[in-house]
Amino acid sequence: MRKITSLVSLWFGVACGLVVASAAIAAETGTLKKIRDANEINLGYRESSIPFSYLDDQQRPVGYSIDLCLRVVEAIKSELKLPNLQTK
């Protein structure tokens, strides 16, 4: 019984290690890799979706969606360690 328990523990440890390794690999491919390589992130918005996104008096995008997107951009800057990431 003890041998089975240690074998299950070993397989569980290997599975956890594979999950962590695949997450690390995924972080360096796809969208985050494109953002890192270009050193920029592009945000899209609709000009007439009040209160989610619209243009203010100075023609700058504002609204709930814009605020949420800017928070995500800050998290990406932190995750990728790119404080000078350009937002377009």
Side-chain angles (χ1 to χ4, degrees):
M1 185 67 176
R2 191 170 247 194
K3 189 174 186 175
I4 293 173
T5 304
S6 64
L7 186 60
V8 169
S9 296
L10 174 67
W11 279 109
F12 181 74
V14 169
C16 289
L18 290 174
V19 168
V20 170
S22 66
I25 291 169
E28 285 300 318
T29 60
T31 304
L32 291 178
K33 183 174 182 342
K34 288 178 188 176
I35 292 170
R36 180 190 302 273
D37 292 344
N39 196 38
E40 71 178 24
I41 187 167
N42 296 303
L43 303 178
Y45 62 92
R46 293 182 64 171
E47 297 175 356
S48 60
S49 294
I50 298 171
F52 301 105
S53 62
Y54 57 97
L55 297 176
D56 66 5
D57 294 336
Q58 287 82 34
Q59 299 300 302
R60 292 178 300 186
V62 293
Y64 297 136
S65 297
I66 303 300
D67 294 341
L68 180 63
C69 287
L70 292 177
R71 284 187 172 209
V72 171
V73 168
E74 289 302 318
I76 291 171
K77 283 181 181 182
S78 176
E79 177 70 26
L80 297 180
K81 296 174 183 62
L82 295 172
N84 297 324
L85 181 67
Q86 300 295 316
T87 303
K88 295 184 177 181

